């Protein structure tokens, strides 16, 4: 049990979450307060579950704003569900805190609740313990039976796409840690992308019927696309899209490095048959988000990158080299 300050105890922490994050879903038959939660899965749909932990010092810097931690711990999980094409419904939250700091808990709960409300997610349970700051969220959602989008369906000839603007969140992380100068023009945008990522939930649901494989980008475009390709036993000839702001602020080599290896983007990377191109373009318009074509799936099981017609050799660990 966390060490209580004044009258704020473990039970007060649970009350904050019940008041702030429980939502009002009719399919929650029993939420926070009993030994376990009871929910009803919609008819004809399958349960889709993802869990992710954020540990202070590993996944976020000590002293990070509590609202950002609350937002991110849910966002990273919603992103995993989005990559399956699933609709999120419920979440649990296991929280280890060094003390029962009321201001911290309330700000954390506000960050969590803001994003949960956006996507109709109810917090239905969890655990609260004393320990070094760490947060584990499990998100549960559903989708029509048999229609989950996996990483393994990409086929040679499919087009490859990437949502949004990858690389900016990684710039934000490096601004926060002091590795990059906070004076760059795009600083506010980069910090917002890192601290308050927007999981592509509605986009993932809409894309599901159109795509052959999908993954969310948490560890960098190169690594996560590599996972999709490995699962599909395929390769890709890929093109880094124009990195306007990143290139302006950091030059082309660092911009490419942030794009390929930065991570924390929570964008969707997916493949689709060539015939789906116009539907995908229409979705981009409808969702007001860039769905950039970034290449083609190939038979040879290699991932080759180009930027503006130049070959980029990237070994996955940060070193890169621009060819002729
Ligand atoms: P138990 O000992 O039976 O696990 P707890 O006292 O740990 O019960 O929890 C009481 C209730 O509060 C349970 O419904 C549990 O799911 C919920 N709960 C505990 N911690 C959290 C949390 N951090 N977020 C949401 N619900 C929580
Ligand atoms: Mg418990």
């Amino acid at each position: 049990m966390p060490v209580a300050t004044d009258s704020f105890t473990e039970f007060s922490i649970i009350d904050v979450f019940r008041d702030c994050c429980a939502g009002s879903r009719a399919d929650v038959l029993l939420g926070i307060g009993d030994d376990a939660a009871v929910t009803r899965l919609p008819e004809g749909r399958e349960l889709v579950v993802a869990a992710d932990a954020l540990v202070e010092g590993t996944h976020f810097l000590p002293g990070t704003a509590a609202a950002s931690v609350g937002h991110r711990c849910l966002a990273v999980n919603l992103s995993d569900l989005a990559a399956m094409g699933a609709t999120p419904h419920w979440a649990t939250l296991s929280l280890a805190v060094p003390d029962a700091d009321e201001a911290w808990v309330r700000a954390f709960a506000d960050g969590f609740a803001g994003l949960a409300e956006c996507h109709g997610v109810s917090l239905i349970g969890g655990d609260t313990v004393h320990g070094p700051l760490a947060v584990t969220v499990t998100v549960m959602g559903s989708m029509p039976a048999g229609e989950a989008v996996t990483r393994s369906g990409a086929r040679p000839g499919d087009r490859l796409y990437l949502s949004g603007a990858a690389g900016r969140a990684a710039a934000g992380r490096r601004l926060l840690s002091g590795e990059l100068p906070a004076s760059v023009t795009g600083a506010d945008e980069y910090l917002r992308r890192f601290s308050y990522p927007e999981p592509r939930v509605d986009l993932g649901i809409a894309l599901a019927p159109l795509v052959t494989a999908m993954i969310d980008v948490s560890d960098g475009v190169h690594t996560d696309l590599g996972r999709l390709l490995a699962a599909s036993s395929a390769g890709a000839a890929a093109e880094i899209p124009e990195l306007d702001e990143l290139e302006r602020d950091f030059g082309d080599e660092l911009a490419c490095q942030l794009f390929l290896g930065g991570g924390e983007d929570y964008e969707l990377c997916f493949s689709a048959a060539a015939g789906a191109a116009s539907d995908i373009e229409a979705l981009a318009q409808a969702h007001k988000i860039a769905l950039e074509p970034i290449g083609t799936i190939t038979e040879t099981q290699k991932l080759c990158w180009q930027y503006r017609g130049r070959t980029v050799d990237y070994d996955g660990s940060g070193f890169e080299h621009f060819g002729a």
Side-chain angles (χ1 to χ4, degrees):
M1 179 182 291
V3 179
T5 50
D6 298 327
S7 58
F8 197 71
T9 64
E10 176 195 355
F11 302 106
S12 318
I13 293 177
I14 297 172
D15 285 345
V16 168
F17 288 121
R18 185 170 29 206
D19 294 346
C20 202
C21 307
S24 57
R25 295 185 64 94
D27 55 12
V28 178
L29 308 179
L30 198 53
I32 295 171
D34 215 298
D35 289 313
V38 181
T39 65
R40 183 175 288 140
L41 195 63
E43 190 89 19
R45 294 173 70 94
E46 289 172 343
L47 184 66
V48 185
V49 182
D52 248 318
L54 297 186
V55 177
E56 185 183 52
T58 304
H59 303 97
F60 58 94
L61 293 168
T64 296
S68 168
V69 181
H71 177 104
R72 288 186 76 236
C73 69
L74 180 59
V76 302
N77 282 283
L78 291 178
S79 181
D80 281 324
L81 252 57
M84 306 302 288
T87 303
H89 304 317
W90 316 297
T92 63
L93 166 66
S94 288
L95 185 62
V97 283
D99 51 45
D101 176 338
E102 181 170 1
W104 193 93
V105 169
R106 289 195 185 280
F108 173 94
D110 281 345
F112 187 101
L115 187 62
E117 276 166 25
C118 279
H119 297 290
V121 171
S122 282
L123 184 65
I124 58 169
D127 203 12
T128 305
V129 297
H130 179 233
L133 185 56
V135 188
T136 303
V137 169
T138 300
V139 167
M140 290 144 278
S142 74
M143 59 187 314
E147 288 180 21
V149 180
T150 65
R151 301 174 177 184
S152 60
R155 295 293 170 258
D158 284 357
R159 306 265 171 88
L160 258 180
Y161 295 85
L162 182 65
S163 71
R168 296 184 188 189
R173 175 160 46 79
R174 285 165 171 77
L175 295 184
L176 281 174
S177 66
E179 287 166 75
L180 288 175
S183 56
V184 295
T185 310
D188 288 350
E189 153 83 353
Y190 306 147
L191 291 170
R192 190 178 56 76
R193 293 263 183 176
F194 176 72
S195 300
Y196 298 94
E198 289 173 34
R200 304 302 184 191
V201 174
D202 296 339
L203 180 67
I205 295 165
L207 280 170
L210 299 176
V211 305
T212 51
M214 186 148 64
I215 191 167
D216 72 312
V217 179
S218 54
D219 294 329
V221 174
H222 180 82
T223 295
D224 287 313
L225 173 54
R227 290 178 176 139
L228 182 151
L229 296 173
S232 296
S233 303
E239 175 90 34
I240 299 171
E242 289 291 323
L243 299 173
D244 312 309
E245 282 86 353
L246 288 175
E247 191 169 327
R248 173 199 65 204
D249 287 339
F250 306 113
D252 59 357
E253 292 212 19
L254 182 51
C256 285
Q257 206 164 309
L258 289 166
F259 174 87
L260 291 173
E264 319 281 355
D265 301 297
Y266 303 106
E267 296 294 350
L268 295 175
C269 181
F270 56 94
S271 58
S278 58
D279 285 344
I280 288 169
E281 213 168 285
L283 266 192
Q285 305 255 335
H287 288 255
K288 297 190 172 57
I289 185 169
L291 295 179
E292 202 90 50
I294 59 160
T296 310
I297 301 290
T298 56
E299 215 145 335
T300 61
Q301 292 180 29
K302 272 172 58 180
L303 171 54
C304 304
W305 287 104
Q306 293 216 323
Y307 185 53
R308 296 195 176 139
R310 297 153 76 195
T311 301
V312 177
D313 285 328
Y314 183 77
D315 73 357
S317 65
F319 172 76
E320 70 191 78
H321 162 78
F322 285 82

